[in-house]
PDB file of all heavy atoms in Angstrom:
ATOM      1  N   CYS O   1     -49.218  75.588  58.746  1.00 90.00           N
ATOM      2  CA  CYS O   1     -48.445  75.291  59.998  1.00 90.00           C
ATOM      3  C   CYS O   1     -48.127  76.548  60.709  1.00 90.00           C
ATOM      4  O   CYS O   1     -47.572  77.449  60.175  1.00 90.00           O
ATOM      5  CB  CYS O   1     -47.199  74.539  59.583  1.00 90.00           C
ATOM      6  SG  CYS O   1     -47.511  72.899  58.953  1.00 90.00           S
ATOM      7  N   LYS O   2     -48.351  76.492  62.087  1.00 90.00           N
ATOM      8  CA  LYS O   2     -48.113  77.711  62.840  1.00 90.00           C
ATOM      9  C   LYS O   2     -46.945  77.639  63.692  1.00 90.00           C
ATOM     10  O   LYS O   2     -46.583  78.520  64.418  1.00 90.00           O
ATOM     11  CB  LYS O   2     -49.374  77.929  63.737  1.00 90.00           C
ATOM     12  CG  LYS O   2     -50.714  78.004  63.006  1.00 90.00           C
ATOM     13  CD  LYS O   2     -50.675  79.185  62.002  1.00 90.00           C
ATOM     14  CE  LYS O   2     -52.076  79.178  61.291  1.00 90.00           C
ATOM     15  NZ  LYS O   2     -52.084  80.209  60.244  1.00 90.00           N
ATOM     16  N   SER O   3     -46.175  76.583  63.650  1.00 91.00           N
ATOM     17  CA  SER O   3     -44.924  76.438  64.455  1.00 91.00           C
ATOM     18  C   SER O   3     -44.020  75.395  63.821  1.00 91.00           C
ATOM     19  O   SER O   3     -44.493  74.602  62.903  1.00 91.00           O
ATOM     20  CB  SER O   3     -45.205  75.945  65.877  1.00 91.00           C
ATOM     21  OG  SER O   3     -45.712  74.648  65.953  1.00 91.00           O
ATOM     22  N   ARG O   4     -42.783  75.385  64.206  1.00 92.00           N
ATOM     23  CA  ARG O   4     -41.824  74.399  63.614  1.00 92.00           C
ATOM     24  C   ARG O   4     -42.255  72.877  64.019  1.00 92.00           C
ATOM     25  O   ARG O   4     -42.223  72.028  63.174  1.00 92.00           O
ATOM     26  CB  ARG O   4     -40.378  74.627  64.035  1.00 92.00           C
ATOM     27  CG  ARG O   4     -39.403  73.894  63.114  1.00 92.00           C
ATOM     28  CD  ARG O   4     -38.052  73.953  63.571  1.00 92.00           C
ATOM     29  NE  ARG O   4     -37.795  72.751  64.444  1.00 92.00           N
ATOM     30  CZ  ARG O   4     -36.605  72.148  64.554  1.00 92.00           C
ATOM     31  NH1 ARG O   4     -35.578  72.568  63.884  1.00 92.00           N
ATOM     32  NH2 ARG O   4     -36.454  71.175  65.444  1.00 92.00           N
ATOM     33  N   ASP O   5     -42.702  72.729  65.285  1.00 94.00           N
ATOM     34  CA  ASP O   5     -43.105  71.454  65.689  1.00 94.00           C
ATOM     35  C   ASP O   5     -44.292  70.968  64.954  1.00 94.00           C
ATOM     36  O   ASP O   5     -44.350  69.818  64.495  1.00 94.00           O
ATOM     37  CB  ASP O   5     -43.489  71.445  67.198  1.00 94.00           C
ATOM     38  CG  ASP O   5     -42.240  71.607  68.138  1.00 94.00           C
ATOM     39  OD1 ASP O   5     -41.218  71.330  67.592  1.00 94.00           O
ATOM     40  OD2 ASP O   5     -42.462  71.878  69.188  1.00 94.00           O
ATOM     41  N   GLU O   6     -45.255  71.867  64.562  1.00 95.00           N
ATOM     42  CA  GLU O   6     -46.389  71.535  63.676  1.00 95.00           C
ATOM     43  C   GLU O   6     -45.943  71.134  62.419  1.00 95.00           C
ATOM     44  O   GLU O   6     -46.398  70.136  61.713  1.00 95.00           O
ATOM     45  CB  GLU O   6     -47.371  72.698  63.662  1.00 95.00           C
ATOM     46  CG  GLU O   6     -48.700  72.375  63.139  1.00 95.00           C
ATOM     47  CD  GLU O   6     -49.754  73.440  63.295  1.00 95.00           C
ATOM     48  OE1 GLU O   6     -49.665  74.202  64.256  1.00 95.00           O
ATOM     49  OE2 GLU O   6     -50.571  73.616  62.280  1.00 95.00           O
ATOM     50  N   ALA O   7     -44.920  71.920  61.798  1.00 95.00           N
ATOM     51  CA  ALA O   7     -44.473  71.606  60.513  1.00 95.00           C
ATOM     52  C   ALA O   7     -43.783  70.319  60.415  1.00 95.00           C
ATOM     53  O   ALA O   7     -43.880  69.537  59.496  1.00 95.00           O
ATOM     54  CB  ALA O   7     -43.638  72.739  60.063  1.00 95.00           C
ATOM     55  N   GLU O   8     -42.934  70.018  61.444  1.00 96.00           N
ATOM     56  CA  GLU O   8     -42.237  68.745  61.525  1.00 96.00           C
ATOM     57  C   GLU O   8     -43.151  67.630  61.522  1.00 96.00           C
ATOM     58  O   GLU O   8     -42.914  66.627  60.824  1.00 96.00           O
ATOM     59  CB  GLU O   8     -41.288  68.770  62.776  1.00 96.00           C
ATOM     60  CG  GLU O   8     -40.533  67.481  62.915  1.00 96.00           C
ATOM     61  CD  GLU O   8     -39.610  67.465  64.182  1.00 96.00           C
ATOM     62  OE1 GLU O   8     -39.448  68.524  64.786  1.00 96.00           O
ATOM     63  OE2 GLU O   8     -38.952  66.480  64.355  1.00 96.00           O
ATOM     64  N   LYS O   9     -44.149  67.736  62.360  1.00 96.00           N
ATOM     65  CA  LYS O   9     -45.148  66.585  62.451  1.00 96.00           C
ATOM     66  C   LYS O   9     -45.921  66.346  61.075  1.00 96.00           C
ATOM     67  O   LYS O   9     -46.210  65.358  60.607  1.00 96.00           O
ATOM     68  CB  LYS O   9     -46.210  66.816  63.512  1.00 96.00           C
ATOM     69  CG  LYS O   9     -45.599  66.768  64.865  1.00 96.00           C
ATOM     70  CD  LYS O   9     -46.618  67.114  65.973  1.00 96.00           C
ATOM     71  CE  LYS O   9     -46.007  67.156  67.397  1.00 96.00           C
ATOM     72  NZ  LYS O   9     -47.003  67.506  68.446  1.00 96.00           N
ATOM     73  N   TYR O  10     -46.236  67.567  60.442  1.00 96.00           N
ATOM     74  CA  TYR O  10     -46.910  67.481  59.204  1.00 96.00           C
ATOM     75  C   TYR O  10     -46.002  66.807  58.093  1.00 96.00           C
ATOM     76  O   TYR O  10     -46.533  65.877  57.467  1.00 96.00           O
ATOM     77  CB  TYR O  10     -47.225  68.841  58.651  1.00 96.00           C
ATOM     78  CG  TYR O  10     -47.847  68.834  57.251  1.00 96.00           C
ATOM     79  CD1 TYR O  10     -49.177  68.534  57.077  1.00 96.00           C
ATOM     80  CD2 TYR O  10     -46.938  69.217  56.150  1.00 96.00           C
ATOM     81  CE1 TYR O  10     -49.725  68.650  55.710  1.00 96.00           C
ATOM     82  CE2 TYR O  10     -47.522  69.134  54.852  1.00 96.00           C
ATOM     83  CZ  TYR O  10     -48.919  68.885  54.662  1.00 96.00           C
ATOM     84  OH  TYR O  10     -49.446  68.819  53.421  1.00 96.00           O
ATOM     85  N   LEU O  11     -44.746  67.127  58.021  1.00 96.00           N
ATOM     86  CA  LEU O  11     -43.841  66.583  57.076  1.00 96.00           C
ATOM     87  C   LEU O  11     -43.672  65.128  57.373  1.00 96.00           C
ATOM     88  O   LEU O  11     -43.564  64.209  56.436  1.00 96.00           O
ATOM     89  CB  LEU O  11     -42.518  67.326  57.113  1.00 96.00           C
ATOM     90  CG  LEU O  11     -42.551  68.661  56.559  1.00 96.00           C
ATOM     91  CD1 LEU O  11     -41.195  69.391  56.744  1.00 96.00           C
ATOM     92  CD2 LEU O  11     -42.897  68.694  55.086  1.00 96.00           C
ATOM     93  N   ALA O  12     -43.474  64.633  58.615  1.00 96.00           N
ATOM     94  CA  ALA O  12     -43.254  63.289  59.015  1.00 96.00           C
ATOM     95  C   ALA O  12     -44.522  62.476  58.577  1.00 96.00           C
ATOM     96  O   ALA O  12     -44.323  61.327  58.135  1.00 96.00           O
ATOM     97  CB  ALA O  12     -42.950  63.184  60.506  1.00 96.00           C
ATOM     98  N   SER O  13     -45.684  63.048  58.805  1.00 96.00           N
ATOM     99  CA  SER O  13     -46.880  62.232  58.457  1.00 96.00           C
ATOM    100  C   SER O  13     -47.188  62.112  57.019  1.00 96.00           C
ATOM    101  O   SER O  13     -47.966  61.284  56.545  1.00 96.00           O
ATOM    102  CB  SER O  13     -48.061  62.874  59.165  1.00 96.00           C
ATOM    103  OG  SER O  13     -48.431  64.127  58.609  1.00 96.00           O
ATOM    104  N   HIS O  14     -46.391  62.967  56.215  1.00 96.00           N
ATOM    105  CA  HIS O  14     -46.610  62.943  54.746  1.00 96.00           C
ATOM    106  C   HIS O  14     -45.354  62.409  54.010  1.00 96.00           C
ATOM    107  O   HIS O  14     -45.279  62.641  52.817  1.00 96.00           O
ATOM    108  CB  HIS O  14     -46.987  64.359  54.273  1.00 96.00           C
ATOM    109  CG  HIS O  14     -48.407  64.724  54.560  1.00 96.00           C
ATOM    110  ND1 HIS O  14     -48.791  65.179  55.796  1.00 96.00           N
ATOM    111  CD2 HIS O  14     -49.558  64.796  53.845  1.00 96.00           C
ATOM    112  CE1 HIS O  14     -50.104  65.417  55.912  1.00 96.00           C
ATOM    113  NE2 HIS O  14     -50.535  65.187  54.649  1.00 96.00           N
ATOM    114  N   SER O  15     -44.506  61.770  54.665  1.00 96.00           N
ATOM    115  CA  SER O  15     -43.280  61.319  54.011  1.00 96.00           C
ATOM    116  C   SER O  15     -43.597  60.295  52.913  1.00 96.00           C
ATOM    117  O   SER O  15     -42.907  60.253  51.891  1.00 96.00           O
ATOM    118  CB  SER O  15     -42.249  60.666  55.080  1.00 96.00           C
ATOM    119  OG  SER O  15     -42.931  59.570  55.707  1.00 96.00           O
ATOM    120  N   GLU O  16     -44.590  59.416  53.186  1.00 97.00           N
ATOM    121  CA  GLU O  16     -44.962  58.428  52.160  1.00 97.00           C
ATOM    122  C   GLU O  16     -45.543  59.106  50.920  1.00 97.00           C
ATOM    123  O   GLU O  16     -45.282  58.681  49.846  1.00 97.00           O
ATOM    124  CB  GLU O  16     -45.947  57.414  52.688  1.00 97.00           C
ATOM    125  CG  GLU O  16     -46.076  56.151  51.980  1.00 97.00           C
ATOM    126  CD  GLU O  16     -44.818  55.382  51.869  1.00 97.00           C
ATOM    127  OE1 GLU O  16     -43.977  55.397  52.815  1.00 97.00           O
ATOM    128  OE2 GLU O  16     -44.537  54.660  50.843  1.00 97.00           O
ATOM    129  N   ASP O  17     -46.330  60.221  51.125  1.00 97.00           N
ATOM    130  CA  ASP O  17     -46.902  60.975  50.036  1.00 97.00           C
ATOM    131  C   ASP O  17     -45.755  61.599  49.200  1.00 97.00           C
ATOM    132  O   ASP O  17     -45.820  61.583  47.977  1.00 97.00           O
ATOM    133  CB  ASP O  17     -47.845  62.063  50.482  1.00 97.00           C
ATOM    134  CG  ASP O  17     -49.083  61.379  51.139  1.00 97.00           C
ATOM    135  OD1 ASP O  17     -49.435  60.282  50.763  1.00 97.00           O
ATOM    136  OD2 ASP O  17     -49.750  62.151  51.952  1.00 97.00           O
ATOM    137  N   ILE O  18     -44.726  62.071  49.948  1.00 97.00           N
ATOM    138  CA  ILE O  18     -43.623  62.684  49.239  1.00 97.00           C
ATOM    139  C   ILE O  18     -42.915  61.738  48.412  1.00 97.00           C
ATOM    140  O   ILE O  18     -42.543  61.940  47.281  1.00 97.00           O
ATOM    141  CB  ILE O  18     -42.706  63.420  50.332  1.00 97.00           C
ATOM    142  CG1 ILE O  18     -43.500  64.557  51.014  1.00 97.00           C
ATOM    143  CG2 ILE O  18     -41.385  63.900  49.653  1.00 97.00           C
ATOM    144  CD1 ILE O  18     -42.714  65.014  52.288  1.00 97.00           C
ATOM    145  N   LYS O  19     -42.753  60.514  48.934  1.00 97.00           N
ATOM    146  CA  LYS O  19     -41.950  59.467  48.227  1.00 97.00           C
ATOM    147  C   LYS O  19     -42.820  59.035  47.034  1.00 97.00           C
ATOM    148  O   LYS O  19     -42.240  58.887  45.911  1.00 97.00           O
ATOM    149  CB  LYS O  19     -41.721  58.266  49.156  1.00 97.00           C
ATOM    150  CG  LYS O  19     -40.889  57.199  48.447  1.00 97.00           C
ATOM    151  CD  LYS O  19     -40.599  56.030  49.484  1.00 97.00           C
ATOM    152  CE  LYS O  19     -39.778  54.947  48.815  1.00 97.00           C
ATOM    153  NZ  LYS O  19     -39.411  53.856  49.678  1.00 97.00           N
ATOM    154  N   ASN O  20     -44.067  58.843  47.187  1.00 97.00           N
ATOM    155  CA  ASN O  20     -44.902  58.421  46.031  1.00 97.00           C
ATOM    156  C   ASN O  20     -44.909  59.475  44.918  1.00 97.00           C
ATOM    157  O   ASN O  20     -44.888  59.092  43.743  1.00 97.00           O
ATOM    158  CB  ASN O  20     -46.436  58.182  46.562  1.00 97.00           C
ATOM    159  CG  ASN O  20     -46.394  56.920  47.453  1.00 97.00           C
ATOM    160  OD1 ASN O  20     -45.542  56.014  47.428  1.00 97.00           O
ATOM    161  ND2 ASN O  20     -47.498  56.896  48.306  1.00 97.00           N
ATOM    162  N   THR O  21     -44.964  60.764  45.392  1.00 97.00           N
ATOM    163  CA  THR O  21     -45.064  61.798  44.339  1.00 97.00           C
ATOM    164  C   THR O  21     -43.713  61.797  43.593  1.00 97.00           C
ATOM    165  O   THR O  21     -43.791  61.978  42.333  1.00 97.00           O
ATOM    166  CB  THR O  21     -45.222  63.154  45.069  1.00 97.00           C
ATOM    167  OG1 THR O  21     -46.592  63.173  45.604  1.00 97.00           O
ATOM    168  CG2 THR O  21     -45.124  64.267  44.068  1.00 97.00           C
ATOM    169  N   THR O  22     -42.660  61.677  44.292  1.00 97.00           N
ATOM    170  CA  THR O  22     -41.237  61.641  43.607  1.00 97.00           C
ATOM    171  C   THR O  22     -41.173  60.506  42.673  1.00 97.00           C
ATOM    172  O   THR O  22     -40.700  60.633  41.521  1.00 97.00           O
ATOM    173  CB  THR O  22     -40.186  61.535  44.725  1.00 97.00           C
ATOM    174  OG1 THR O  22     -40.292  62.680  45.551  1.00 97.00           O
ATOM    175  CG2 THR O  22     -38.782  61.563  44.103  1.00 97.00           C
ATOM    176  N   GLU O  23     -41.627  59.325  43.122  1.00 97.00           N
ATOM    177  CA  GLU O  23     -41.584  58.079  42.322  1.00 97.00           C
ATOM    178  C   GLU O  23     -42.412  58.294  41.012  1.00 97.00           C
ATOM    179  O   GLU O  23     -41.995  57.769  39.853  1.00 97.00           O
ATOM    180  CB  GLU O  23     -41.944  56.894  43.067  1.00 97.00           C
ATOM    181  CG  GLU O  23     -40.953  56.498  44.161  1.00 97.00           C
ATOM    182  CD  GLU O  23     -41.440  55.330  45.064  1.00 97.00           C
ATOM    183  OE1 GLU O  23     -42.699  55.133  45.078  1.00 97.00           O
ATOM    184  OE2 GLU O  23     -40.669  54.667  45.669  1.00 97.00           O
ATOM    185  N   LYS O  24     -43.545  58.928  41.039  1.00 97.00           N
ATOM    186  CA  LYS O  24     -44.413  59.140  39.948  1.00 97.00           C
ATOM    187  C   LYS O  24     -43.743  60.028  38.929  1.00 97.00           C
ATOM    188  O   LYS O  24     -43.869  59.857  37.749  1.00 97.00           O
ATOM    189  CB  LYS O  24     -45.730  59.697  40.457  1.00 97.00           C
ATOM    190  CG  LYS O  24     -46.685  58.694  41.069  1.00 97.00           C
ATOM    191  CD  LYS O  24     -48.001  59.346  41.605  1.00 97.00           C
ATOM    192  CE  LYS O  24     -48.842  58.368  42.276  1.00 97.00           C
ATOM    193  NZ  LYS O  24     -50.163  58.990  42.785  1.00 97.00           N
ATOM    194  N   VAL O  25     -43.084  61.096  39.481  1.00 97.00           N
ATOM    195  CA  VAL O  25     -42.393  61.959  38.506  1.00 97.00           C
ATOM    196  C   VAL O  25     -41.228  61.289  37.840  1.00 97.00           C
ATOM    197  O   VAL O  25     -41.079  61.457  36.642  1.00 97.00           O
ATOM    198  CB  VAL O  25     -41.859  63.243  39.336  1.00 97.00           C
ATOM    199  CG1 VAL O  25     -40.975  64.070  38.449  1.00 97.00           C
ATOM    200  CG2 VAL O  25     -43.014  64.051  39.861  1.00 97.00           C
ATOM    201  N   ILE O  26     -40.559  60.559  38.584  1.00 97.00           N
ATOM    202  CA  ILE O  26     -39.419  59.760  37.970  1.00 97.00           C
ATOM    203  C   ILE O  26     -39.831  58.766  36.956  1.00 97.00           C
ATOM    204  O   ILE O  26     -39.363  58.675  35.802  1.00 97.00           O
ATOM    205  CB  ILE O  26     -38.646  58.941  39.125  1.00 97.00           C
ATOM    206  CG1 ILE O  26     -37.927  59.966  40.016  1.00 97.00           C
ATOM    207  CG2 ILE O  26     -37.696  58.056  38.493  1.00 97.00           C
ATOM    208  CD1 ILE O  26     -37.247  59.317  41.235  1.00 97.00           C
ATOM    209  N   ALA O  27     -40.894  57.986  37.268  1.00 97.00           N
ATOM    210  CA  ALA O  27     -41.523  57.071  36.298  1.00 97.00           C
ATOM    211  C   ALA O  27     -42.029  57.787  35.056  1.00 97.00           C
ATOM    212  O   ALA O  27     -41.885  57.274  33.902  1.00 97.00           O
ATOM    213  CB  ALA O  27     -42.651  56.235  37.017  1.00 97.00           C
ATOM    214  N   ALA O  28     -42.683  58.944  35.315  1.00 96.00           N
ATOM    215  CA  ALA O  28     -43.257  59.633  34.103  1.00 96.00           C
ATOM    216  C   ALA O  28     -42.172  60.187  33.154  1.00 96.00           C
ATOM    217  O   ALA O  28     -42.427  60.322  31.990  1.00 96.00           O
ATOM    218  CB  ALA O  28     -44.143  60.810  34.601  1.00 96.00           C
ATOM    219  N   GLU O  29     -41.048  60.416  33.753  1.00 96.00           N
ATOM    220  CA  GLU O  29     -39.913  60.894  32.920  1.00 96.00           C
ATOM    221  C   GLU O  29     -39.108  59.677  32.236  1.00 96.00           C
ATOM    222  O   GLU O  29     -38.110  59.884  31.614  1.00 96.00           O
ATOM    223  CB  GLU O  29     -39.011  61.709  33.702  1.00 96.00           C
ATOM    224  CG  GLU O  29     -39.608  63.012  34.200  1.00 96.00           C
ATOM    225  CD  GLU O  29     -40.055  63.930  32.997  1.00 96.00           C
ATOM    226  OE1 GLU O  29     -39.273  64.067  32.047  1.00 96.00           O
ATOM    227  OE2 GLU O  29     -41.161  64.479  33.019  1.00 96.00           O
ATOM    228  N   GLY O  30     -39.442  58.425  32.580  1.00 96.00           N
ATOM    229  CA  GLY O  30     -38.872  57.307  31.983  1.00 96.00           C
ATOM    230  C   GLY O  30     -37.742  56.742  32.732  1.00 96.00           C
ATOM    231  O   GLY O  30     -36.930  56.016  32.124  1.00 96.00           O
ATOM    232  N   TYR O  31     -37.649  57.061  34.007  1.00 96.00           N
ATOM    233  CA  TYR O  31     -36.416  56.609  34.816  1.00 96.00           C
ATOM    234  C   TYR O  31     -36.920  55.683  35.860  1.00 96.00           C
ATOM    235  O   TYR O  31     -38.168  55.607  36.173  1.00 96.00           O
ATOM    236  CB  TYR O  31     -35.696  57.694  35.434  1.00 96.00           C
ATOM    237  CG  TYR O  31     -35.140  58.726  34.394  1.00 96.00           C
ATOM    238  CD1 TYR O  31     -35.795  60.025  34.229  1.00 96.00           C
ATOM    239  CD2 TYR O  31     -34.032  58.353  33.632  1.00 96.00           C
ATOM    240  CE1 TYR O  31     -35.331  60.799  33.357  1.00 96.00           C
ATOM    241  CE2 TYR O  31     -33.587  59.356  32.738  1.00 96.00           C
ATOM    242  CZ  TYR O  31     -34.220  60.460  32.461  1.00 96.00           C
ATOM    243  OH  TYR O  31     -33.842  61.407  31.604  1.00 96.00           O
ATOM    244  N   ASP O  32     -36.038  54.825  36.474  1.00 94.00           N
ATOM    245  CA  ASP O  32     -36.434  53.911  37.532  1.00 94.00           C
ATOM    246  C   ASP O  32     -35.574  54.044  38.811  1.00 94.00           C
ATOM    247  O   ASP O  32     -35.274  53.129  39.509  1.00 94.00           O
ATOM    248  CB  ASP O  32     -36.401  52.499  36.961  1.00 94.00           C
ATOM    249  CG  ASP O  32     -34.903  52.074  36.577  1.00 94.00           C
ATOM    250  OD1 ASP O  32     -33.994  52.955  36.545  1.00 94.00           O
ATOM    251  OD2 ASP O  32     -34.670  50.876  36.312  1.00 94.00           O
ATOM    252  N   TYR O  33     -35.034  55.287  39.042  1.00 96.00           N
ATOM    253  CA  TYR O  33     -34.346  55.539  40.290  1.00 96.00           C
ATOM    254  C   TYR O  33     -35.053  55.205  41.446  1.00 96.00           C
ATOM    255  O   TYR O  33     -36.289  55.499  41.605  1.00 96.00           O
ATOM    256  CB  TYR O  33     -33.848  57.021  40.305  1.00 96.00           C
ATOM    257  CG  TYR O  33     -33.001  57.445  39.211  1.00 96.00           C
ATOM    258  CD1 TYR O  33     -33.244  58.636  38.440  1.00 96.00           C
ATOM    259  CD2 TYR O  33     -31.769  56.838  38.897  1.00 96.00           C
ATOM    260  CE1 TYR O  33     -32.459  59.087  37.431  1.00 96.00           C
ATOM    261  CE2 TYR O  33     -30.939  57.184  37.881  1.00 96.00           C
ATOM    262  CZ  TYR O  33     -31.335  58.452  37.192  1.00 96.00           C
ATOM    263  OH  TYR O  33     -30.505  58.820  36.171  1.00 96.00           O
ATOM    264  N   GLY O  34     -34.274  54.749  42.477  1.00 96.00           N
ATOM    265  CA  GLY O  34     -34.895  54.588  43.862  1.00 96.00           C
ATOM    266  C   GLY O  34     -35.013  55.945  44.466  1.00 96.00           C
ATOM    267  O   GLY O  34     -34.368  56.928  44.112  1.00 96.00           O
ATOM    268  N   VAL O  35     -35.828  55.966  45.531  1.00 97.00           N
ATOM    269  CA  VAL O  35     -36.110  57.280  46.254  1.00 97.00           C
ATOM    270  C   VAL O  35     -35.947  57.121  47.721  1.00 97.00           C
ATOM    271  O   VAL O  35     -36.404  56.142  48.282  1.00 97.00           O
ATOM    272  CB  VAL O  35     -37.489  57.852  45.954  1.00 97.00           C
ATOM    273  CG1 VAL O  35     -37.764  59.160  46.737  1.00 97.00           C
ATOM    274  CG2 VAL O  35     -37.602  58.123  44.379  1.00 97.00           C
ATOM    275  N   THR O  36     -35.221  58.014  48.364  1.00 97.00           N
ATOM    276  CA  THR O  36     -35.190  57.942  49.872  1.00 97.00           C
ATOM    277  C   THR O  36     -35.670  59.388  50.360  1.00 97.00           C
ATOM    278  O   THR O  36     -35.172  60.400  49.909  1.00 97.00           O
ATOM    279  CB  THR O  36     -33.692  57.816  50.291  1.00 97.00           C
ATOM    280  OG1 THR O  36     -33.204  56.496  49.770  1.00 97.00           O
ATOM    281  CG2 THR O  36     -33.603  57.716  51.885  1.00 97.00           C
ATOM    282  N   VAL O  37     -36.573  59.264  51.320  1.00 97.00           N
ATOM    283  CA  VAL O  37     -37.132  60.488  51.919  1.00 97.00           C
ATOM    284  C   VAL O  37     -36.851  60.377  53.446  1.00 97.00           C
ATOM    285  O   VAL O  37     -37.195  59.340  54.064  1.00 97.00           O
ATOM    286  CB  VAL O  37     -38.624  60.637  51.677  1.00 97.00           C
ATOM    287  CG1 VAL O  37     -39.146  61.817  52.461  1.00 97.00           C
ATOM    288  CG2 VAL O  37     -38.932  60.713  50.190  1.00 97.00           C
ATOM    289  N   SER O  38     -36.256  61.413  53.966  1.00 96.00           N
ATOM    290  CA  SER O  38     -35.996  61.402  55.436  1.00 96.00           C
ATOM    291  C   SER O  38     -36.132  62.801  56.021  1.00 96.00           C
ATOM    292  O   SER O  38     -36.045  63.806  55.272  1.00 96.00           O
ATOM    293  CB  SER O  38     -34.577  60.930  55.682  1.00 96.00           C
ATOM    294  OG  SER O  38     -33.622  61.759  55.140  1.00 96.00           O
ATOM    295  N   LEU O  39     -36.419  62.793  57.292  1.00 95.00           N
ATOM    296  CA  LEU O  39     -36.524  64.080  57.991  1.00 95.00           C
ATOM    297  C   LEU O  39     -35.526  63.997  59.184  1.00 95.00           C
ATOM    298  O   LEU O  39     -35.728  63.305  60.173  1.00 95.00           O
ATOM    299  CB  LEU O  39     -37.885  64.266  58.593  1.00 95.00           C
ATOM    300  CG  LEU O  39     -38.330  65.661  59.193  1.00 95.00           C
ATOM    301  CD1 LEU O  39     -38.197  66.757  58.199  1.00 95.00           C
ATOM    302  CD2 LEU O  39     -39.665  65.618  59.672  1.00 95.00           C
ATOM    303  N   SER O  40     -34.377  64.662  58.999  1.00 94.00           N
ATOM    304  CA  SER O  40     -33.273  64.380  59.904  1.00 94.00           C
ATOM    305  C   SER O  40     -32.394  65.611  59.940  1.00 94.00           C
ATOM    306  O   SER O  40     -32.443  66.549  59.226  1.00 94.00           O
ATOM    307  CB  SER O  40     -32.392  63.104  59.467  1.00 94.00           C
ATOM    308  OG  SER O  40     -31.942  63.313  58.180  1.00 94.00           O
ATOM    309  N   GLU O  41     -31.466  65.647  60.952  1.00 93.00           N
ATOM    310  CA  GLU O  41     -30.499  66.763  61.091  1.00 93.00           C
ATOM    311  C   GLU O  41     -29.399  66.597  59.948  1.00 93.00           C
ATOM    312  O   GLU O  41     -28.958  65.507  59.641  1.00 93.00           O
ATOM    313  CB  GLU O  41     -29.761  66.625  62.425  1.00 93.00           C
ATOM    314  CG  GLU O  41     -30.679  66.832  63.685  1.00 93.00           C
ATOM    315  CD  GLU O  41     -31.241  68.284  63.692  1.00 93.00           C
ATOM    316  OE1 GLU O  41     -30.461  69.199  63.314  1.00 93.00           O
ATOM    317  OE2 GLU O  41     -32.347  68.498  64.192  1.00 93.00           O
TER     318      GLU O  41
END
């Protein structure tokens, strides 16, 4: 990413991947916590 705008767009477009990755880690450790991912102030 070459700018903050570019980084923001990249993160926004990968929010579902971030959530899925987090859920996999939680499940692998034997927990069932919910996950919330947001890009906000």
Side-chain angles (χ1 to χ4, degrees):
C1 290
K2 305 302 181 184
S3 69
R4 199 192 86 149
D5 286 344
E6 190 175 327
E8 181 179 355
K9 290 176 182 177
Y10 175 81
L11 291 173
S13 67
H14 287 77
S15 61
E16 197 62 31
D17 293 335
I18 295 169
K19 184 177 181 180
N20 290 338
T21 295
T22 302
E23 289 174 339
K24 287 179 181 178
V25 172
I26 292 172
E29 295 299 316
Y31 302 104
D32 60 354
Y33 295 129
V35 176
T36 302
V37 176
S38 64
L39 191 61
S40 58
E41 297 291 330

